[in-house]
Amino acid sequence: MKNRQLGRRDFLVGLTGLAAAAASRSTSAASVPTWMYVGSFTGEGRGHGEGLSVFHRGSESDRWQRVQLLTDLADPSFVIVDSQKRCLYAVHGDGTQATAYRIDPANGRVSVLNQQPTGGRNGVHLAIDATGRVLVMVNYATGTVAVLPINQDGSLGSRSDLATLSGALGPHRSQQETSHPHHCPFDPAGRLVIVPDKGLDKVFVFRVDAARGALVPATPPAVATRAGAGPRHAGFHPTRPFAYVINELDSTITVYAFDAENGALAPRQVHTTLPSSYTGNNTGAEIAVAPSGRFVYGSNRGHDSIAIFAVDQSTGVLTSVGWEPTQGKTPRFFGLDPTGTHLYAANQSSDTVVIFRVNQTTGKLSPTGETIDVKSPVTIAFR
């Protein structure tokens, strides 16, 4: 009984920490971004992008202008900016390396710092822990999660850990032939990562030991999804103990209760991302939770839309608000800017990034009229 009480106390303390951390981030992230970094697919058979694009605007009322294009590295397919805004990191399509770039604070342009092997192939996502000491990334093609230390100058150190994911394969004959981890976001406290595995129909959870650069499986280490769901990407409520996973293969979102103490996930709801009138093919792609925690967004490839959901703050469950067409094809990625006032939809197959205004009361989206031409865009990071 004593241990149970201690666990409960620690859990409540953890929730308080989550709320404080989220509030701090919300305050610090309130500035409007003036730099935008867009990754693309450049490799044959993947896309026809030109490379890593850097865009700038003087203020929110200005239009984005491209000021730099880096073409020397293939498939800069997922990019993030560190919390200090001094470095950008990328993984590379079918490649086997991660790249660190230095950001010039005066003009926002980037230059390569170094590269490190990731221990696998086809990196699709990366994330940085709360201390800023380690980068975690997933290798889609080889079913692994890697940890790379971040040096004081922002460059990447040699890989310090590599976890291989295992389990029974899902039933889809062509999309679930092996483990396919697709995402590794940190929880709001920056200590735990959840890894949706499309091939194994599981969502894995790891605690990240930043001091050792090691991955420690949570207890339990994973939760199973519906057979054939194909979990792909995940997002956390900023202040409440809820996590949301978009499932690629069956076009649904699963709502989980999230235990911040041990990382356990308990499913509460499965909600379709599609209107009942839609009869075509579709796959789910990206998911994002509004900074307010009031809304969840998910992208549909096929229906080519952003699905909008309202969040019940007591239970975490979702209610459909509607759908907004992305004005293009295959929205593989979309992102909310740091203020949460605008959503940027990257239409991979029609070579555009379309900007929408977010209604803070209803969650609904409305086009701003600004469309950015970028070939095969697949990720966006702001500064």
Side-chain angles (χ1 to χ4, degrees):
M1 180 64 69
K2 186 175 181 180
N3 288 339
R4 289 185 181 178
Q5 290 174 341
L6 179 61
R8 173 67 174 168
R9 184 193 68 190
D10 290 349
F11 175 57
L12 292 175
V13 170
L15 288 184
T16 302
L18 293 184
S24 174
R25 274 193 308 277
S26 177
T27 300
S28 64
S31 60
V32 173
T34 54
W35 301 96
M36 179 171 62
Y37 303 87
V38 182
S40 65
F41 280 142
T42 65
E44 185 176 353
R46 281 189 162 270
H48 51 270
E50 299 171 288
L52 175 61
S53 298
V54 181
F55 289 86
H56 176 62
R57 65 181 182 182
S59 68
E60 188 177 9
S61 61
D62 297 328
R63 288 185 172 261
W64 291 99
Q65 303 292 330
R66 187 158 69 180
V67 296
Q68 186 184 18
L69 174 64
L70 278 75
T71 61
D72 51 340
L73 298 176
D75 290 318
S77 51
F78 202 94
V79 298
I80 60 170
V81 174
D82 72 345
S83 62
Q84 298 180 38
K85 315 301 182 188
R86 62 173 185 162
C87 292
L88 179 139
Y89 300 92
V91 285
H92 300 274
D94 279 330
T96 59
Q97 73 283 345
T99 303
Y101 300 84
R102 179 182 289 109
I103 299 175
D104 187 314
N107 59 32
R109 293 170 180 259
V110 297
S111 56
V112 174
L113 267 172
N114 75 328
Q115 286 190 313
Q116 288 288 356
T118 63
R121 186 168 57 85
N122 191 195
V124 288
H125 184 251
L126 33 72
I128 300 171
D129 80 311
T131 71
R133 294 162 63 184
V134 297
L135 181 144
V136 178
M137 56 87 58
V138 287
N139 294 304
Y140 178 87
T142 49
T144 53
V145 186
V147 180
L148 286 77
I150 298 176
N151 299 319
Q152 288 189 353
D153 66 350
S155 63
L156 294 171
S158 299
R159 190 182 70 252
S160 58
D161 201 3
L162 187 71
T164 300
L165 306 182
S166 62
L169 297 177
H172 198 292
R173 298 176 67 178
S174 62
Q175 294 295 311
Q176 295 183 308
E177 78 288 0
T178 187
S179 165
H180 286 314
H182 212 296
H183 208 214
C184 56
F186 276 90
D187 74 329
R191 298 184 303 106
L192 298 161
V193 294
I194 61 175
V195 182
D197 192 314
K198 171 182 154 183
L200 302 181
D201 281 332
K202 284 185 176 182
V203 181
F204 292 84
V205 184
F206 294 92
R207 179 174 64 84
V208 178
D209 185 332
R212 296 190 299 122
L215 297 166
V216 181
T219 306
V223 61
T225 68
R226 283 179 174 175
R232 177 184 171 94
H233 279 202
F236 289 93
H237 192 286
T239 59
R240 301 287 293 151
F242 310 129
Y244 302 88
V245 175
I246 191 165
N247 300 303
E248 177 176 333
L249 300 181
D250 69 358
S251 300
T252 63
I253 291 176
T254 304
V255 179
Y256 294 93
F258 172 66
D259 189 328
E261 181 180 19
N262 59 25
L265 294 167
R268 283 189 170 175
Q269 181 194 30
V270 176
H271 199 303
T272 180
T273 63
L274 294 169
S276 59
S277 59
Y278 181 71
T279 60
N281 294 322
N282 189 78
T283 54
E286 186 60 271
I287 191 167
V289 183
S292 66
R294 297 181 58 198
F295 305 102
V296 169
Y297 300 89
S299 65
N300 289 304
R301 297 176 296 182
H303 189 245
D304 293 331
S305 66
I306 304 295
I308 308 163
F309 302 91
V311 177
D312 184 311
Q313 299 301 303
S314 61
T315 64
V317 301
L318 303 178
T319 301
S320 178
V321 171
W323 295 264
E324 181 68 30
T326 62
Q327 301 187 8
K329 296 181 179 180
T330 320
R332 177 186 177 93
F333 178 90
F334 70 88
L336 293 166
D337 75 357
T339 68
T341 59
H342 291 82
L343 182 147
Y344 290 63
N347 293 304
Q348 178 185 349
S349 298
S350 54
D351 303 331
T352 58
V353 173
V354 180
I355 305 174
F356 298 86
R357 186 170 291 105
V358 180
N359 186 307
Q360 300 300 301
T361 302
T362 66
K364 292 185 177 181
L365 307 174
S366 57
T368 64
E370 183 172 6
T371 297
I372 304 169
D373 294 328
V374 188
K375 294 180 179 178
S376 301
V378 292
T379 186
I380 299 169
F382 296 100
R383 174 178 177 270

